[in-house]
Amino acid sequence: QVQLVESGGGLVQTGGSLRLSCAASGRTFSNSAMGWFRQAPGKERALVASISYSGSTICYSNSVKGRFTISRDNAKNTVFLQMNSLKPEDAAVYYCAAAPSTTWTIDVRLFRYWGQGTQVTVSS
C-alpha cells in the first residue's frame, strides 16, 4: 500500500515556475515507478512525466519536454516535478501516481496508487 500527498501547486504567471512535491508513505516507494499526470477541465487525465524506481529512466510528454523536470529522492520517499516556463495550457490538477513493483512504465493502468491532486493555475 502506498499513500501519496501532493503539494506545491498554486497560481503563477505565464513564464513562471512551480515545484510540485509528492510525499509517499509505505514500504514500496523505492521499488515503484512514479508518474505525474494532469487533468484540465473537460479533458482526460494525461501523463506528464514518468520516472523509474532508480531514477535512471525518465519520460516526458512532448508538451512539457524541455520545461519540466521529474526527479525522486528515495531516501525521503518523495518525487518532484519542477515546472519552468509555465504556459496557460499547463493549468490543470496535477496528480502523483505510483506503479508498485514496476521498474518503469508509461502505462496508466499500472499506476495503482494516486494522490488527491494539486491545482496549478497559470495566469496570462
Side-chain angles (χ1 to χ4, degrees), residues 2-124:
V2 178
Q3 293 181 323
L4 305 171
V5 179
E6 303 99 333
S7 61
L11 173 64
V12 65
Q13 291 185 333
T14 296
S17 298
L18 284 174
R19 189 190 196 206
L20 305 184
S21 298
C22 173
S25 62
R27 299 181 300 170
T28 61
F29 177 81
S30 60
N31 68 0
S32 297
M34 299 297 296
W36 284 99
F37 293 76
R38 68 185 182 187
Q39 186 168 21
K43 295 188 177 181
E44 292 187 355
R45 190 172 299 188
L47 178 69
V48 174
S50 174
I51 186 168
S52 64
Y53 74 89
S54 68
S56 61
T57 303
I58 288 173
C59 177
Y60 297 99
S61 69
N62 287 334
S63 61
V64 307
K65 200 172 296 183
R67 299 186 298 122
F68 290 12
T69 302
I70 189 172
S71 61
R72 66 189 296 163
D73 184 339
N74 286 345
K76 296 182 178 180
N77 281 9
T78 304
V79 62
F80 305 97
L81 185 68
Q82 177 67 44
M83 306 187 294
N84 299 329
S85 303
L86 282 161
K87 305 175 181 180
E89 52 264 42
D90 293 318
V93 177
Y94 282 71
Y95 298 91
C96 171
S101 302
T102 303
T103 301
W104 177 74
T105 184
I106 59 172
D107 186 345
V108 66
R109 295 170 297 179
L110 297 182
F111 289 92
R112 293 173 49 194
Y113 302 106
W114 293 81
Q116 82 288 349
T118 185
Q119 177 72 50
V120 171
T121 303
V122 184
S123 64
S124 58

